[in-house]
Amino acid sequence: MENQAIPKKTLLAILGASLMAFCGVLVETSMNVTFPTLMKQFGLPMNVVQWIATGYLLLVSLTMATSAFVQRRFKIRSIFIFAGLAFIVGSFVCALAPSFTVLLIGRLIQAVATGYAIPLLFAIILQQIPVARLGSFMGLGSMVVGIAPSLGPTYGGMSTYLFTWREIFWFILPVVVIAVLLGSFTIPQKFETHRDPFDTFGFILLAVAFFLVAESFTDAGTYGWISIQFWGFLVVGLLVLAWFAYHSTHSKRILLDLAIFKSPTLVLSLIPYFLLQLINIGISYLLPNYGQLVFGANSLVAGSAILLGSLAAAVIQPLSGRVLDNRGAAVPIRIGGAIIVIAMVLFASFGLHLTNTLIVLFYLVFGIGFGFSFGNAMTNGIQQVDLKLQQDANAMFSTSQQYAGAIGTAIMATLLTSSQESGRHLSQAVLSAQGSEHDFILLVVLSIVAFGLMIVNFRKQAQLKTTKSVF
């Protein structure tokens, strides 16, 4: 079974979906390194410009939340072609944008494309790949969506330094066209479609909840962590999210089947996965800005500092997926979680005095840990539910991944902005270093929480396995 051949058509379908997903995720963080440039060009503060990233990730998250429904309703190939065309249109709008508002609109069009492309990639893998080789192929898929955010600053920095930020969108267009052509002729359809009604009210509730929570962290940078704006938006957002959960469990229209949360081991896989992506996107946003604002590196140098770690994560993810196939999920995930804690402690320890060399080395450590843990956390989590719920589990993991990025970017930007606008009579470089130090300390705490939950999860899985073997 392990050596079972995968049809060439399936491999090409996965390649096409991977290219599309890669392009979508790449542009998520490629613009992060351009924030100082955009602030000067459009005369806007950081907390406004950062909506280029936060708004994008927010809409990606909402789109992904509908992906399970959309995949039941429409053919996968049709969804993929729609996503590809939307990405192409969005790229043209961004590249030609005369104002910040038009640029944001183009990014939101791209967000819809990315929101459908990533779940499609994993849907094809889950439906077409034998269980015995699932870890390896899920590792490849996770490599795509995990490595692209880290490569984004390098790509964005190089484009901006050698040309302008607009080339970020021009250069990626040919890859998207190739992806659309590949997917159009190879993507299979395993299940029949169903004309189920769309849960419009549930979608509105989820959209409002996602926006309010993200906005609360953005407002914290302007009004402070104890402000009514922060706590008001956060509390109301969480209440609306609870309303969505109640509505979903009492409605005949299913946007996302929340029955997946009845599995405690899925929940214990989902939360660390969310935290790992928050750390990944957050630090991918923070480090390029640290390089430019603290020690005056240009966009090319600042963006390239995380390239080596990104490549390490890319190489390790499919290999660690093979380890999952052969030895189970606990080994690679625990190793990765521990290494990430070490990396975050290193960043926090040197946060006020980082150099480009230290950033390269510490991020390499992080990339190794991320490669071992990230994709395997998703694979292990999806395997905890019945086959009929895996489509919804895939949508939930994809949604949490992107929303974690939105929250991570907002929190990193908020802490950085709070320090820069503290009113202390220090240089912007020193204030930016102090704000980054606060970010690093938070990331240490989150990495420890994620690692602790990993340990609890595998103890729980071992207990459940023992119970099943007894009965």
Side-chain angles (χ1 to χ4, degrees), residues 357-376:
T357 301
L358 289 177
I359 289 176
V360 171
L361 292 175
F362 295 167
Y363 193 81
L364 174 61
V365 177
F366 169 77
I368 293 171
F370 190 78
F372 271 104
S373 57
F374 181 67
N376 287 324

Side-chain angles (χ1 to χ4, degrees), residues 179-442:
V180 173
L181 292 175
L182 276 174
S184 299
F185 293 104
T186 60
I187 290 180
Q189 183 68 36
K190 185 173 183 178
F191 301 109
E192 294 184 2
T193 58
H194 303 280
R195 292 185 175 273
D196 299 325
F198 184 70
D199 185 5
T200 304
F201 184 65
F203 177 77
I204 292 173
L205 288 176
L206 192 61
V208 171
F210 276 12
F211 172 78
L212 290 175
V213 173
E215 180 64 19
S216 70
F217 288 103
T218 300
D219 282 353
T222 304
Y223 303 105
W225 293 100
I226 59 174
S227 65
I228 187 65
Q229 287 86 352
F230 168 67
W231 287 105
F233 278 122
L234 181 61
V235 171
V236 174
L238 293 177
L239 289 175
V240 175
L241 188 61
W243 187 3
F244 166 76
Y246 176 82
H247 167 79
S248 297
T249 54
H250 292 78
S251 174
K252 294 181 179 180
R253 299 188 176 192
I254 299 178
L255 181 66
L256 191 63
D257 195 338
L258 300 186
I260 57 176
F261 289 109
K262 293 180 180 179
S263 168
T265 50
L266 178 138
V267 175
L268 288 170
S269 297
L270 181 65
I271 297 175
Y273 184 82
F274 177 91
L275 293 176
L276 290 179
Q277 182 68 348
L278 190 155
I279 294 170
N280 179 41
I281 297 292
I283 204 165
S284 296
Y285 160 83
L286 181 62
L287 293 178
N289 282 287
Y290 185 105
Q292 293 179 87
L293 298 172
V294 177
F295 53 80
N298 60 49
S299 60
L300 177 59
V301 172
S304 299
I306 61 177
L307 177 60
L308 184 60
S310 302
L311 294 176
V315 172
I316 290 172
Q317 289 219 50
L319 297 178
S320 69
R322 187 172 299 176
V323 175
L324 180 147
D325 288 334
N326 296 329
R327 300 189 59 185
V331 174
I333 292 177
R334 284 173 175 167
I335 291 174
I339 294 175
I340 288 175
V341 171
I342 293 171
M344 293 304 104
V345 170
L346 289 172
F347 276 117
S349 300
F350 292 85
L352 296 175
H353 308 287
L354 283 173
T355 64
N356 198 61
T357 301
L358 289 177
I359 289 176
V360 171
L361 292 175
F362 295 167
Y363 193 81
L364 174 61
V365 177
F366 169 77
I368 293 171
F370 190 78
F372 271 104
S373 57
F374 181 67
N376 287 324
M378 179 179 183
T379 305
N380 180 61
I382 292 177
Q383 290 178 331
Q384 302 306 307
V385 299
D386 294 335
L387 183 62
K388 64 179 182 180
L389 290 174
Q390 286 191 353
Q391 205 170 35
D392 294 276
N394 174 25
M396 180 56 66
F397 271 92
S398 298
T399 301
S400 68
Q401 175 206 47
Q402 297 302 307
Y403 196 63
I407 296 297
T409 301
I411 293 175
M412 297 297 104
T414 294
L415 291 174
L416 188 59
T417 303
S418 298
S419 180
Q420 292 171 337
E421 299 178 355
S422 61
R424 287 173 289 177
H425 299 295
L426 299 170
S427 67
Q428 280 297 300
V430 173
L431 291 174
S432 297
Q434 291 177 347
S436 299
E437 172 72 358
H438 298 155
D439 281 330
F440 291 135
I441 292 173
L442 174 61

Side-chain angles (χ1 to χ4, degrees), residues 439-455:
D439 281 330
F440 291 135
I441 292 173
L442 174 61
L443 294 179
V444 169
V445 175
L446 295 180
S447 65
I448 292 173
V449 171
F451 183 55
L453 290 174
M454 293 173 188
I455 294 175

